[in-house]
Amino acid sequence: MRVVPVLAAAAVLTAPRWLPQRVVALRGKVFELVNGDNAITLPGERFGPEEFREIYSHPNAGGRSEGAGLSDLFWYWLSPGPEVHQEHIEAGPRYDDVARTTQRFLAGSSASLAATAARCAAAVLDEEVRGDVTAVRLRDLMMPIWAEFNYELVFGEPCPRRARDLIVGNATDVVNALKCTGLRHPERRARLTRYLRARVEAGDVVHDLPATLDIPEQVHYLQGTFFNTSVVQLSEAMAHLLLVLAQHHDVQQRLAANPSDERYFSHVLDEALRVFPLFGIAHRITTGDIDVDEHTTLPRGSVLCFSYPDYHASGHRDPEVFDPCRWAELSARDVPHVPFGIAANRPCPAWRLSPLVMRAVTGEVLRRFRLDSSVRHTRSLPSRGPCLLVRRGAPERGTAAVLGLLRVRDRWEDVECSLRQLVLGTWMVLDARRQRLAGRYFEQPPPGCPAHR
């Protein structure tokens, strides 16, 4: 009779070891249902890493949203704005107009952009981190920095606190929904939409907005591109980068001692984004047949799911090991490494800007703090990157005990978070299928037709 309670207690006590992995696998099954039977994952059973770049670069692999069930889910997470977001809008005059506009905002001298990023980082770090030893969530710490930075790109002036709070609230809501750790909050997003509309109508934006978009669409373009994607992706990338520094003290010390060593920083960043790519899956829809070889053709309308983690892990010795020194003998052009996408198929428009400004922010962090962390580091990072910041010159007394507590808390949070992701993720998948945001959009007349809206 005592066997059942003992087994139950053992299952509970060992849950951090076995439950998260099983829940992740179950979540994967749920999301496979979204892809449907026609989705092709690369690399995978049919195509290896050697075909990944070739197929991704093919001109007929350029369809973005129309015709894929997965699009309904991404539009659901990113609404409002996916219909005019540079990453999701289909090819044509509107896409070209939006892409040109984005480049105007991102243009500028390297020195000026780095100085802006460093200034924003210094202000936020000095405001948010006051103690000698401070426990933070790295993604949360980075969000205000990139909110202020993107605000300056768009409006050309320092970011007021009210605007920063609106931007961070929106970006946090989006990324929590994407990671299935929280549901969407439409009113939180709508507050930022209303603020941006007032600024657009007042003519406060530093560059002309896409002429092919009306005012609501211009507002959604700004919100989705700069105050959602840019803030979220830069915050995620910095959280991964700082967390690997916190767990690899030799790398951290070398960067802190040689902040001007651009080459070594690029090796560290390349390796961080190789092991922890920001994207799990990038999906594309073929707009025409793709002849892979004389025996294999991918027909028009195929849904291609490009797996960044699997591709980045291929062709490397000990791919799970973080080792920036491997890049001393490698070139990102010659190995499976596409942290900013493929040049021939909508690469990240900030591929030049991101490493530059991330280096500036990393320098401000390391100038003030030593970093340490004992938590599990995963690509999706639902924990938001728990970390200790120890102010330079301050004693490290007591940090070992705090790190022990962080480790225990992280393991049990992982259990709770996994279950929450399963429940919320399943609910959002079903709700996205019900709403069919992408599907219903493409059932309307093309943009520009009188009956479109």
Side-chain angles (χ1 to χ4, degrees):
M1 296 296 293
R2 296 180 180 180
V3 173
V4 173
V6 170
L7 291 177
V12 170
L13 292 174
T14 60
R17 294 184 180 180
W18 59 269
L19 184 57
Q21 291 88 342
R22 284 165 173 77
V23 172
V24 167
L26 185 55
R27 286 180 58 226
K29 295 296 183 183
V30 172
F31 286 105
E32 282 180 10
L33 296 176
V34 180
N35 292 338
D37 296 333
N38 296 324
I40 302 169
T41 301
L42 297 92
E45 294 181 1
R46 292 182 61 185
F47 303 104
E50 58 277 2
E51 286 91 18
F52 181 100
R53 192 183 293 263
E54 176 188 351
I55 295 175
Y56 206 157
S57 302
H58 197 282
N60 288 344
R64 193 52 189 96
S65 291
E66 186 174 9
L70 196 59
S71 301
D72 284 326
L73 184 57
F74 278 100
W75 281 45
Y76 175 88
W77 280 329
L78 297 175
S79 179
E83 69 278 7
V84 293
H85 194 294
Q86 185 171 337
E87 177 64 13
H88 295 274
I89 192 172
E90 297 294 340
R94 281 160 59 96
Y95 172 78
D96 296 336
D97 192 14
V98 166
R100 285 192 298 268
T101 302
T102 302
Q103 287 305 315
R104 286 197 294 270
F105 280 107
L106 299 180
S109 71
S110 297
S112 174
L113 292 167
T116 299
R119 175 167 42 79
C120 293
V124 170
L125 292 171
D126 291 344
E127 173 189 339
E128 298 290 334
V129 187
R130 298 294 184 87
D132 287 343
V133 180
T134 307
V136 300
R137 307 268 182 168
L138 289 169
R139 193 188 82 195
D140 297 346
L141 181 64
M142 292 294 108
M143 280 272 192
I145 295 173
W146 299 115
E148 294 200 0
F149 177 79
N150 280 276
Y151 180 96
E152 292 204 23
L153 287 183
V154 171
F155 296 113
E157 63 185 21
C159 181
R161 183 57 183 263
R162 173 172 174 262
R164 190 180 93 180
D165 290 345
L166 288 173
I167 296 166
V168 170
N170 172 76
T172 300
D173 187 55
V174 170
V175 71
N176 285 345
L178 281 166
K179 295 181 185 300
C180 302
T181 57
L183 295 174
R184 298 167 67 250
H185 296 84
E187 179 53 33
R188 186 178 300 166
R189 302 185 189 196
R191 285 195 290 269
L192 178 60
T193 306
R194 290 192 293 268
Y195 173 83
L196 293 176
R197 177 154 188 162
R199 299 297 303 273
V200 168
E201 291 178 336
D204 294 336
V205 182
V206 296
H207 295 291
D208 291 338
L209 293 170
T212 54
L213 307 183
D214 60 23
I215 287 181
E217 290 171 332
Q218 290 175 348
V219 171
H220 292 164
Y221 159 72
L222 287 177
Q223 183 163 350
T225 302
F226 295 98
F227 302 123
N228 168 8
T229 298
S230 183
V231 173
V232 167
Q233 297 292 7
L234 283 167
S235 299
E236 284 281 300
M238 283 299 305
H240 282 300
L241 175 60
L242 295 177
L243 193 55
V244 296
L245 297 184
Q247 297 182 336
H248 296 81
H249 294 168
D250 57 332
V251 178
Q252 179 184 163
Q253 290 165 5
R254 180 171 171 179
L255 281 180
N258 301 282
S260 61
D261 190 344
E262 296 183 28
R263 187 167 183 268
Y264 184 64
F265 177 82
S266 70
H267 292 170
V268 174
L269 181 59
D270 278 338
E271 183 69 350
L273 295 180
R274 184 192 68 80
V275 181
F276 305 105
L278 294 179
F279 304 104
I281 293 288
H283 80 284
R284 298 289 188 268
I285 303 94
T286 57
T287 56
D289 293 352
I290 297 178
D291 295 323
V292 181
D293 55 43
E294 59 183 7
H295 304 294
T296 308
T297 297
L298 298 175
R300 183 182 185 276
S302 298
V303 179
L304 308 176
C305 294
F306 296 95
S307 172
Y308 279 67
D310 291 336
Y311 184 61
H312 280 188
S314 61
H316 292 281
R317 181 184 304 165
D318 300 323
E320 73 285 353
V321 175
F322 175 82
D323 178 17
C325 292
R326 75 172 78 230
W327 293 99
E329 301 177 355
L330 296 176
S331 168
R333 294 186 297 272
D334 302 326
V335 296
H337 190 66
V338 288
F340 299 104
I342 299 285
N345 192 342
R346 302 197 185 193
C348 172
W351 66 269
R352 180 187 72 89
L353 171 74
S354 297
L356 178 74
V357 295
M358 288 176 66
R359 179 169 169 263
V361 172
T362 302
E364 290 297 319
V365 173
L366 294 181
R367 187 163 64 83
R368 289 166 171 77
F369 309 109
R370 298 188 302 276
L371 291 76
D372 207 348
S373 183
S374 56
V375 303
R376 184 180 288 121
H377 191 173
T378 63
R379 189 205 67 79
S380 61
L381 203 63
S383 66
R384 314 192 308 279
C387 183
L388 283 188
L389 302 183
V390 182
R391 193 170 298 279
R392 296 283 176 186
E396 296 190 28
R397 292 190 300 270
T399 58
V402 177
L403 289 170
L405 291 174
L406 279 182
R407 182 184 299 108
V408 173
R409 185 187 70 177
D410 179 68
R411 299 303 186 265
W412 284 104
E413 280 187 349
D414 203 12
V415 173
E416 183 273 333
C417 184
S418 298
L419 294 172
R420 179 155 38 100
Q421 287 179 301
L422 177 62
V423 173
L424 299 184
T426 302
W427 190 92
M428 287 188 284
V429 165
L430 296 174
D431 198 34
R433 293 185 68 177
R434 179 184 64 82
Q435 294 196 31
R436 294 187 61 244
L437 295 180
R440 288 191 291 109
Y441 176 83
F442 288 107
E443 290 168 358
Q444 301 179 69
C449 292
H452 180 63
R453 282 179 288 275

